Amino acid sequence: MEAMFLPFLLIVFASIFQGSFGLGMKYMAPLKWESWWLVHVLIAMIILPLGWGYVAVPDLLGVLGASFSNPEMQSVVFIAMLFGFLWGIGGILFGVSVPYIGLSLTMGIVMGLAGSVGALIPLLRMDNSTSLPQFPYVIAGLVITLVGVAITAKAGIDKDKLTSEASGDKSNILKGILIAVSCGVLSALLNVGFVEAAPIAKLAESMGAIDRNASLAAWVVVLMGAFIMNAGYAIFLLVKNKSWSSFKVEGSGKAYRWAILASVFWFGALGVYGQGAALIGPIGGVIGWPMLLGLSLIVSNFWAYRAGEWNGAAKPFRLLLMGLAVLIIASIILGYANMV
């Protein structure tokens, strides 16, 4: 029991980071989206993973060199980067969805779907997964997670109707939800890539890294693929919109600070989650991932509430709280699954 306290504490801590990083997206101005995003992904997906990994993983560069040069490991590297690349598409869609439906609803849909799909795929790929004693509890936890997401989404829809009626603006709720659903499915692939990159973490362990820090080597590879997609799209927009000069726009210091802070929160969540999942064991990526994203909804909605997103929407807000309570129950069931 005590041995499981630390990994779950790490996941709870990671959820605070995960639920907070989206705040930075509210403070992009006066930078263009593509300028802010390029700075964010460079720090979050390259500088921080390499920096933390270099400090915590003995001979990180040797691990990466062996992974990329060993023919037996190259397929692992390719798959891990591919899933990271596909997740990158989802990451871009996240940024597109927030202006349409707000941070709270976007986080609800994306985190719920990403948590469920991102846990289910690795679970079904495990040998004799349906025979595992944890299987029924994991499935129950994932189903309850989806119920919580549905309630959360309904609360966001009701809130949007009130806002639209009050302002007379045309609602983009359907468009925003479709984008968020696509983002949620693609975002699940980040955890799939992390699980598929397990041989890289094992290689790091064999070269002297402790188990929980070895996961950082896996993240470095997965996020290389994610960076290629995100940076490529940002650069495409910079060229298309001829907005390179926006990096020097007056009064952008606050936006840069938020870009850095959002990056620290974002990769801080993944790095700490990876350590917690490694300590849980082989099924850590199945149990820990939906817990991380489900609990992060509590944090993100706290910030959304503070930002006034739910002002004048008391009834939808009560429905939102109900959805969040369901997600907490799902997290408890998933936590219990590892004790079976």
Side-chain angles (χ1 to χ4, degrees), residues 46-120:
I46 298 296
I47 295 176
L48 290 179
L50 283 173
W52 190 356
Y54 186 80
V55 171
V57 178
D59 196 15
L60 174 66
L61 298 182
V63 173
L64 297 177
S67 299
F68 278 87
S69 61
N70 188 330
E72 295 181 0
M73 291 290 290
Q74 286 175 349
S75 61
V76 174
V77 170
F78 174 78
I79 292 297
M81 291 184 65
L82 175 62
F83 281 125
F85 183 90
L86 294 174
W87 169 86
I89 300 175
I92 291 170
L93 292 177
F94 181 92
V96 174
S97 179
V98 170
Y100 285 117
I101 58 177
L103 177 62
S104 56
L105 181 52
T106 300
M107 292 288 282
I109 295 173
V110 172
M111 296 305 180
L113 289 176
S116 300
V117 177
L120 192 59

Side-chain angles (χ1 to χ4, degrees), residues 221-250:
V221 176
V222 175
L223 294 180
M224 284 181 183
F227 176 76
I228 291 172
M229 175 62 224
N230 280 271
Y233 181 68
I235 293 172
F236 166 76
L237 290 180
L238 286 166
V239 173
K240 178 185 176 182
N241 299 331
K242 299 179 181 179
S243 51
W244 290 99
S245 61
S246 65
F247 285 105
K248 300 179 181 179
V249 66
E250 185 178 353

Side-chain angles (χ1 to χ4, degrees), residues 38-49 259-260 263-264 267:
L38 184 59
V39 172
H40 168 63
V41 299
L42 177 63
I43 297 172
M45 300 177 189
I46 298 296
I47 295 176
L48 290 179
I260 295 170
S263 301
V264 171
F267 184 68

Side-chain angles (χ1 to χ4, degrees), residues 9 23 27 39 45 62 95 122 180 196 219-221 256 259 264 301 307-308 331:
L9 180 62
L23 282 172
Y27 302 99
V39 172
M45 300 177 189
E196 292 293 323
W219 278 128
V220 168
V221 176
Y256 280 119
V264 171
N301 277 286
S331 296

